[in-house]
Amino acid sequence: MTPTVSKWCLALVLLVAGRCGPTLAQDDFLYGTFPDGFIWGAATAAYQIEGAWNENGKGENIWDFMTHAYDGGISDNSTGDIAADSYNKYLDDVAALKETGVNFYRFSISWSRILPTGRIDQINQDGINYYNNVINALLDNGITPLVTLYHWDLPQPLQEIGGWLNEEVVDIFGDYANLAFSSFGDRVKSWITFNEPWVQSVLGYGYGGNAPRIVGSGQTDYIAAHNQIKSHARAWHIYDDNYRATQNGEIGITLDSGWSEPKTQSAADIEAAERNMQFKLGWFAHPIFSVDGDYPPVMKEYVARHSAEEGFPVSRLPEFGQTWVDYIKGTSDFFGLNHYTSALAEYSVWEGNWTSYDKDQDVSTSADPSWPSSAAPWLKVVPWGFRKLVNWINNEYNGVRLLVTENGYADLGEINDVDRANYYTSYINELMKAINLDGCNIYGYTAWSIIDNFEWAAGYSQKFGLYSVDFNDPARPRSRKYSAQVYAQIIADNGFPAPAEN
Ligand code: PNW
């Protein structure tokens, strides 16, 4: 090595060390603040908070249908019939948001509240009025609405024609999106088409724990995902063609992902962890955010090989075809990310002549026993995984503008929720490292959730709120938790200024 080269190497090492903070170990706390203009929010979803499931013209959706069934599949046999009663108490939610000091509120529209049959031939004006009231109350209080069109609550009449397995729903979703843009887009400038199509596909159409409880892992989950991706692109194009120029808003998608850490440093485990990322996040992100579009090559290869081994004449992973690949590519103005936890991934071949999405990957995942747990068995506390994940996304999708659209912690409902406050502090600190030390392009953060709510198949047994809701009291009173005070302080400080800077 010539002296010149070694000098450059030294400079490079110093540069990298300087950027990463030479003395900062993985879990060390970093003082500092987020960039000016960073936005802070909190989130909910319609079925989880609204209640009023059949009031004033609302139609039935797949969660109404599932929870009302004889064996509703909810751990505490509860329903979202009343939930936090936000249909009547939304002003209390707005007050909590205001007290927390958020810049924006992420909530979802209940499709069947504005279109009881799912289709635009029957519009429920009361539903339109309700969302107008919510939007106007937010704006009156200086809070920006961020609206999700689909947070898992498909109108039941559309399930009866196959739901996301039926490609006709792509156009029907487009009609619904069009109605939302035309009704609310004068005031709503940020839209999310789908929340976590992975959960809707894998849990709703693969393993069957969520509505509509279809079991067919490795087959129906792939089809449901395929039609949701097409539907997302359809809504984006409708906005882009007809509304962007006049309404000046933006529209994206929210994907969920944990971080997959290789269990060992063997080449097989490192590849397994990467493959697991591609199967989980890349499944939805590659068609939309990558330069080439379409499903990740490794996913196409693995599903095709497993399909052949299992005797299928063609791959169980559907094909878009070039027209759809081009139509889908680039259809998101930002990358919405929901993140909660991490897993260890290892190479593992699942034996047997059966099909499943997990078997297709040749990966097994587990939790490190040292990771603190939460009231949700799947949610372990691994703050450093958040930083690694957003760096992975930043590298994989060319510095894409990223908005964290959910992050939060489950407990049993304590008011003095120190564990949740610590979760927020440590995860938000890792996010700040990703921005200030690693240069990731992240412009906002959203806490899940502003209030306790119906946690899907876990019912009311797990709580994610910054505010508690007393579900035994018909008035559903809200009370502020300790974590809400901590989050409000982080927002007020725009991060974690060093004590001397205070
Ligand atoms: C998200 N997982 O769901 C949803 O968007 C919210 O509606 C939900 O209340 C929140 O997270 C808390 O669960 C997820 O198993 C559910 O990895 C499960 C997983 C991820 C996200």
Side-chain angles (χ1 to χ4, degrees), residues 53 58-62 64-65 68 112 116 154-157 160:
W53 79 275
K58 178 180 166 293
E60 184 182 43
N61 66 40
I62 56 175
D64 297 318
F65 183 85
H68 294 163
S112 53
L154 193 77
Q156 183 62 25
E160 272 143 33

Side-chain angles (χ1 to χ4, degrees), residues 452-465:
D452 287 343
N453 56 54
F454 177 81
E455 177 52 21
W456 307 111
Y460 300 98
S461 66
Q462 298 167 7
K463 304 288 181 4
F464 280 83

Side-chain angles (χ1 to χ4, degrees), residues 45 48 151-152 195-196 198-199 203 256 280 338 340-341 378 406 448 453-456 464:
Q48 296 181 273
H151 202 122
W152 309 350
N195 177 72
E196 302 189 350
W198 183 92
V199 172
L203 303 185
D256 62 300
K280 179 151 190 180
N338 291 356
Y340 290 88
T341 195
W378 56 272
E406 280 180 31
W448 179 273
N453 56 54
F454 177 81
E455 177 52 21
W456 307 111
F464 280 83

Side-chain angles (χ1 to χ4, degrees), residues 129-148:
N129 296 347
Y130 171 67
Y131 294 109
N132 276 331
N133 292 341
V134 173
I135 292 163
N136 294 341
L138 290 168
L139 293 172
D140 287 347
N141 284 280
I143 300 166
T144 301
L146 167 59
V147 177
T148 307

Side-chain angles (χ1 to χ4, degrees), residues 151-302:
H151 202 122
W152 309 350
D153 48 357
L154 193 77
Q156 183 62 25
L158 299 181
Q159 196 60 51
E160 272 143 33
I161 61 164
W164 295 113
L165 301 181
N166 184 343
E167 195 176 344
E168 275 177 51
V169 177
V170 175
D171 287 336
I172 301 173
F173 179 76
D175 290 343
Y176 159 56
N178 192 48
L179 175 66
F181 303 147
S182 66
S183 304
F184 311 119
D186 57 331
R187 288 151 295 150
V188 173
K189 303 301 172 188
S190 295
W191 296 95
I192 291 168
T193 54
F194 282 79
N195 177 72
E196 302 189 350
W198 183 92
V199 172
Q200 174 67 102
S201 303
V202 172
L203 303 185
Y205 287 83
Y207 294 122
N210 280 6
R213 297 183 91 178
I214 290 170
V215 177
S217 187
Q219 301 188 60
T220 38
D221 42 6
Y222 291 142
I223 299 167
H226 202 67
N227 287 322
Q228 288 176 81
I229 294 167
K230 288 182 172 182
S231 301
H232 155 79
R234 173 61 45 83
W236 186 90
H237 280 286
I238 289 170
Y239 191 83
D240 200 52
D241 291 345
N242 306 310
Y243 296 97
R244 190 189 294 281
T246 50
Q247 297 186 350
N248 290 309
E250 56 179 4
I251 175 164
I253 190 166
T254 277
L255 306 178
D256 62 300
S257 185
W259 169 248
S260 300
E261 179 75 6
K263 186 165 183 181
T264 74
Q265 285 307 306
S266 73
D269 285 357
I270 290 172
E271 278 173 30
E274 172 66 18
R275 202 161 54 243
N276 190 229
M277 290 299 303
Q278 294 293 354
F279 260 85
K280 179 151 190 180
L281 187 53
W283 181 6
F284 299 92
H286 202 277
I288 297 169
F289 296 98
S290 75
V291 176
D292 296 334
D294 204 352
Y295 293 121
V298 72
M299 186 172 182
K300 292 200 282 189
E301 177 196 330
Y302 271 64

Side-chain angles (χ1 to χ4, degrees), residues 481-495:
K481 301 183 193 177
Y482 170 68
S483 60
Q485 298 175 42
V486 170
Y487 186 45
Q489 191 62 50
I490 294 171
I491 295 174
D493 290 339
N494 197 34

